[in-house]
Amino acid sequence: LSTNSVWQRVGRAGRPGLDSKGEAVLIMPSWDRKSHRYPDNSFDPINSQLSNSQALAEQIVTEVASGLSTTPDQLESNMDLYLAGHQERLSSLEEVYNTMVEAGMIEEESKRKNGKLRLRLSATKLGWVAVRHMLRPETVLLCRRVIKHHRDLSFFDILLTACSTSDITPVLPVDFEELDLLSARLEAEPSFLLNSNWEKVPDLLEVEGKRLLSGIKMALVLRAWTRTGDIEKVAERFDCYPFEVTQLLDSTSRLLTAWPSLINSPEEDVPTWVHDGVAPLHERVRAIGRMVESGLNESVAT
């Protein structure tokens, strides 16, 4: 544990207003030569995470959607008040802001006030989806891109897209020994994304290598859950812990609740039907959402 984490826990010892003092016991291995840093108060430096472009994009969209920043100048002034501003870690603010405008998360509107032309900022529907469902902007954009460019999305395709985003946790690792097992299970899953043009999948989902394999494994875990409804059995089958499956179900369910808003967006030319004779995509998304949430198969969920 970091020194900061230890002292955060130590600080919770005792009940404020009821106890005159609190006591914490720290058990350290004798071989840990750095254990002295805990009682010496050698705290770790605290750096703002807004230096990360993904975190900064999320904060910019939130600032605009909440009405805290209604102009570019106001946005810049507000961001300077954050810890990142004091630490001068916002060097990419203008670049990330422009990216959010170009991606359709933020909208600029020219308005004249007191004889001067000024830009007024507002969140688009995509921006509101990200804020309302507490999703990262890149997650919303990835899901929208898949929906927009591919009509035939199977249940597995929907789950694979969700599991490729950075909002899904935990990311289940894939061992070399698992590849044959995953390959055999994958053959039984109808998938338009993987069968249409495999070479373009990494670019479409913006994941590759081990992370793409992890997304495939996680999607297979979710499908196994919808078929069995047994977390213990699924965890044993895919060599992971039950609590990891539970966390995966929770984060996937939260993401899938945002999908209907993306499909039914009036601003986008998004196909709503998979193909003739098959249920609309938004109905399939709602079905897989119910299946993941409650461990149901297709026939029961529909």
Side-chain angles (χ1 to χ4, degrees):
L1 292 174
S2 67
T3 306
N4 293 8
S5 297
V6 170
W7 277 99
Q8 184 189 41
R9 287 159 176 75
V10 170
R12 297 172 187 233
R15 296 169 296 176
L18 297 176
D19 296 327
S20 59
K21 64 178 182 179
E23 181 177 327
V25 179
L26 180 61
I27 302 175
M28 298 176 289
S30 58
W31 47 260
D32 186 356
R33 297 182 179 180
K34 297 181 179 180
S35 58
H36 65 274
R37 69 186 183 277
Y38 298 128
D40 287 348
N41 298 346
S42 301
F43 293 107
D44 308 303
I46 298 177
N47 294 317
S48 172
Q49 297 302 306
L50 290 184
S51 59
N52 179 285
S53 59
Q54 295 179 346
L56 181 58
E58 185 176 2
Q59 186 62 35
I60 289 175
V61 175
T62 302
E63 284 274 332
V64 174
S66 63
L68 293 174
S69 299
T70 58
T71 67
D73 291 340
Q74 194 174 42
L75 175 65
E76 184 176 358
S77 298
N78 288 343
M79 298 300 288
D80 284 339
L81 299 177
Y82 286 113
L83 176 62
H86 290 285
Q87 294 179 334
E88 298 182 350
R89 298 170 66 88
L90 293 173
S91 58
S92 60
L93 176 60
E94 183 177 358
E95 178 184 350
V96 175
Y97 166 78
N98 290 333
T99 300
M100 290 299 95
V101 173
E102 294 171 4
M105 305 293 289
I106 297 176
E107 193 172 47
E108 295 178 330
E109 183 181 1
S110 298
K111 287 192 174 183
R112 189 172 296 278
K113 186 177 181 180
N114 298 328
K116 294 183 178 180
L117 199 62
R118 297 183 178 181
L119 282 180
R120 186 82 174 178
L121 304 181
S122 61
T124 64
K125 182 170 183 176
L126 288 178
W128 275 109
V129 170
V131 173
R132 187 182 303 116
H133 296 279
M134 294 184 290
L135 299 174
R136 297 177 180 178
E138 68 265 21
T139 293
V140 174
L141 294 174
L142 188 154
C143 294
R144 185 196 65 164
R145 183 171 64 251
V146 173
I147 292 170
K148 185 177 181 180
H149 290 88
H150 293 279
R151 300 172 64 91
D152 301 314
L153 292 177
S154 66
F155 286 139
F156 177 81
D157 290 332
I158 296 171
L159 295 177
L160 176 58
T161 302
C163 291
S164 299
T165 67
S166 56
D167 274 292
I168 293 296
T169 57
V171 176
L172 303 180
V174 177
D175 295 329
F176 178 78
E177 292 78 8
E178 294 181 273
L179 294 181
D180 289 339
L181 175 63
L182 295 180
S183 179
R185 297 192 181 282
L186 191 59
E187 288 181 358
E189 291 293 341
S191 174
F192 172 78
L193 288 180
L194 300 184
N195 292 331
S196 60
N197 196 335
W198 166 254
E199 291 78 10
K200 293 184 178 180
V201 170
D203 291 334
L204 178 66
L205 299 180
E206 294 184 345
V207 290
E208 58 184 355
K210 292 183 178 180
R211 182 59 182 87
L212 178 56
L213 288 175
S214 291
I216 292 174
K217 176 179 178 177
M218 292 152 64
L220 290 172
V221 167
L222 293 170
R223 284 299 279 138
W225 157 251
T226 62
R227 293 189 173 102
T228 64
D230 190 326
I231 290 180
E232 298 284 345
K233 184 181 295 185
V234 172
E236 181 179 1
R237 184 181 302 174
F238 287 90
D239 192 26
C240 57
Y241 294 104
F243 80 88
E244 291 179 313
V245 178
T246 301
Q247 290 180 356
L248 180 60
L249 294 175
D250 291 341
S251 59
T252 304
S253 294
R254 181 169 64 90
L255 193 151
L256 289 179
T257 58
W259 270 57
S261 299
L262 299 175
I263 297 172
N264 297 328
S265 172
E267 304 168 6
E268 302 293 337
D269 182 20
V270 179
T272 56
W273 288 85
V274 182
H275 53 73
D276 293 341
V278 180
L281 181 56
H282 67 270
E283 288 295 340
R284 297 176 67 80
V285 169
R286 290 192 176 96
I288 191 62
R290 292 192 292 268
M291 292 160 64
V292 170
E293 183 178 0
S294 304
L296 306 175
N297 59 29
E298 291 92 324
S299 60
V300 176
T302 56

